[in-house]
Amino acid sequence: MTRRRTMLALTAGALALPVALTAGAAATPAAATGGWSSSWASTADTSSPATTLAQVRTIIGADTGAAAALTGKGVGVALIDTGVAPVPGLPAAQVVNGPDLSFESQAANLRYLDTYGHGTHMAGIIVGDDTASGTKGLAPQAKLTSIKIGTARGAVDVTQMIAAVDWVVKHRNDDPANPIRVINLSYGSGGNPPNWTDPLQFAVEKAWQAGIVVVAAAGNNGNGTTKLTNPAMDEWVLAVGATTTNGTDATKDDTLATFTNLSTGGNQVDLLAPGTSIASLRDPGSNIDNTYPSARVGTTLFKGSGTSQATAVVSAAAALVLQSKPSATPDQVKEWLIKGGTFLPTGKAGTMGLLELNVNGALARTGTAVAKPTWNTSSGNGTFELSRGTSHVVLDNTPLSGERSVWGALAAPQWAAKAATQSSWSGGTWMGFKIAGDGWTGTSWASKTWAPATWAVTPWATGATWTDPAWTGRTWSGRTWSAGTWSGRTWSSDDWSATSWS
């Protein structure tokens, strides 16, 4: 497991550099169990050719037949991630900023913006339009709502994810012309909780029941794992694994990516999609852009591999299907996508019967009836700590643990009762904690923005504050991040999903 921790030295205001970084991790990081389900090309391996989004479109059968005319228009996609940056390849008209629930929301110069580089990469796959490279997202006319929960180090607590999902459910119809019908979760917590009580699975099931297709990354711990990450392990969601495309736009040579989690019990991967060396939008000066310069493809693109990328591909495909069939339920969309997939004859995918996404195949099945699933549901009455598992954010050497949210003490059953009636949010207050503004009155580069708020509650670490001196070191200036350091204080998770650098 690759572990990274950063902290603020309380004496002399000095910033400590990351410690407990496994030797050689920059070249070949070990798999971890929670966080963002992606890895980024590094100087250790520059041999893998980039897979363009045009190639991905061909592989998934979206450039011919009925699918070729679809753009995702009229469909809202919620991206719960690390925010998005205003790069030229991301049209402001297609982007809405929901509330920033990340630790960086307390710094005006970082609010809503992607300091890590992950969310921008996902957004590019879905709605990108980069004229410099000719790269176009797979659902370029979908309306993307970005809810930022991760920092420059990818750090996020499971309670931030739960609050974000709750917010999407509450506000899914705020834009009647582009209702949110898809949630992209390129994320997995470090927990392996009981499915019948887990709070995170309860949250995504409530979204599913509200008519939202939840697309979740299976995880990047490898084919030898026995469980998918949470919430992909939930039977209700659409769990996505990645394929290796081997540099071609044919499917006959595509294979199951070796980093994809598989399950020996419980929910298995539902669908595969291209997820190796995907060239999408670069976030200049972001953490990953600075750390892995060899991953750059030209000046505007960046190459990344993981079930994160595959998840974004499937989220875009779900938007295309929903444009074609706007009255479709999440159960219908899931079954059409799964059963309309392409058989892969080579390797483990073939022997396991795992199919690769085929949009035209899914559209061809939209006339078939879909039986209502009878899977078990979560009560939500478990514990947040079991949902976290091994993934804990650390502030001043103090991990966040136990039955509390980032913002204060909170019992899961108390939250579940509110979430069940879509009342966990009231304006900018979630479960009694004022963590965002009260409506669409904020300002940013996006077409519409939810207002911010100053967190009045105190952090879980004794004597700490939400203010980080390092936050002043970076601002978005023009088309890149200004000089500074990402090795700031905090909010570092002690682990997150990774795979071999591609």
Side-chain angles (χ1 to χ4, degrees), residues 127-182:
V127 299
D129 187 6
D130 182 45
T131 56
S133 64
T135 296
K136 190 176 284 289
L138 303 175
Q141 291 299 308
K143 184 61 71 76
L144 187 85
T145 298
S146 169
I147 300 95
K148 178 178 175 177
I149 62 172
T151 69
R153 301 303 301 262
V156 59
D157 183 62
V158 71
T159 57
Q160 290 167 297
M161 173 58 77
I162 288 171
V165 173
D166 282 357
W167 184 89
V168 172
V169 173
K170 180 81 169 181
H171 295 279
R172 66 192 184 280
N173 294 320
D174 282 9
D175 181 358
N178 301 279
I180 296 174
R181 301 295 308 281
V182 182

Side-chain angles (χ1 to χ4, degrees), residues 66-77 93-95 126-128 136-144 175-182 315-327 359 363:
L70 298 174
T71 62
K73 186 176 178 61
V75 180
V77 178
Q94 301 310 124
V95 178
I126 301 170
V127 299
K136 190 176 284 289
L138 303 175
Q141 291 299 308
K143 184 61 71 76
L144 187 85
D175 181 358
N178 301 279
I180 296 174
R181 301 295 308 281
V182 182
S315 290
L320 299 181
V321 172
L322 284 163
Q323 179 190 2
S324 175
K325 298 292 180 181
S327 62
V359 178
L363 293 173

Side-chain angles (χ1 to χ4, degrees), residues 10 26 74 141 161 175 197 205 287 399 401:
L10 297 180
Q141 291 299 308
M161 173 58 77
D175 181 358
T197 59
E205 287 171 11
N287 193 349
S401 61

Side-chain angles (χ1 to χ4, degrees), residues 215-220 223 228 232 238-244 255-257 259-262 268-275 306-311 313-314 354-357:
V215 188
N220 298 329
N223 295 170
L228 307 188
L238 183 52
V240 178
T243 58
T244 298
T255 57
L256 174 69
F259 55 74
T260 295
N261 281 31
L262 295 175
Q268 183 56 278
V269 169
D270 291 311
L271 188 63
L272 302 176
T307 54
S308 274
Q309 281 73 15
T311 297
V313 171
V314 174
L354 298 176
L355 305 183
E356 187 170 37
L357 174 66

Side-chain angles (χ1 to χ4, degrees), residues 352-406:
M352 294 182 65
L354 298 176
L355 305 183
E356 187 170 37
L357 174 66
N358 184 319
V359 178
N360 271 317
L363 293 173
R365 296 193 62 86
T366 56
T368 61
V370 175
K372 181 69 177 177
T374 57
W375 297 310
N376 293 327
T377 57
S378 172
S379 68
N381 291 329
T383 67
F384 294 126
E385 186 60 20
L386 286 179
S387 288
R388 290 186 187 103
T390 57
S391 293
H392 293 85
V393 289
V394 180
L395 169 60
D396 294 350
N397 253 354
T398 304
L400 172 60
S401 61
E403 293 318 286
R404 64 168 293 144
S405 71
V406 164

Side-chain angles (χ1 to χ4, degrees), residues 40-41 46-60 121 124-125 133-138 242-251 253-255 257 259 273-281 294-298 301-306 309-310 313 356 502:
W40 306 97
T46 58
S47 61
S48 300
T51 301
T52 68
L53 291 184
Q55 287 177 302
V56 171
R57 188 174 288 105
T58 298
I59 292 167
I60 67 171
H121 205 261
I125 292 172
S133 64
T135 296
K136 190 176 284 289
L138 303 175
T243 58
T244 298
T245 58
N246 294 303
T248 75
D249 55 14
T251 57
D253 63 346
D254 291 359
T255 57
F259 55 74
T276 306
S277 299
I278 305 298
S280 183
L281 295 179
S294 65
R296 298 169 187 166
V297 180
L301 302 181
F302 199 82
K303 187 172 63 169
S305 299
Q309 281 73 15
V313 171
E356 187 170 37
S502 57

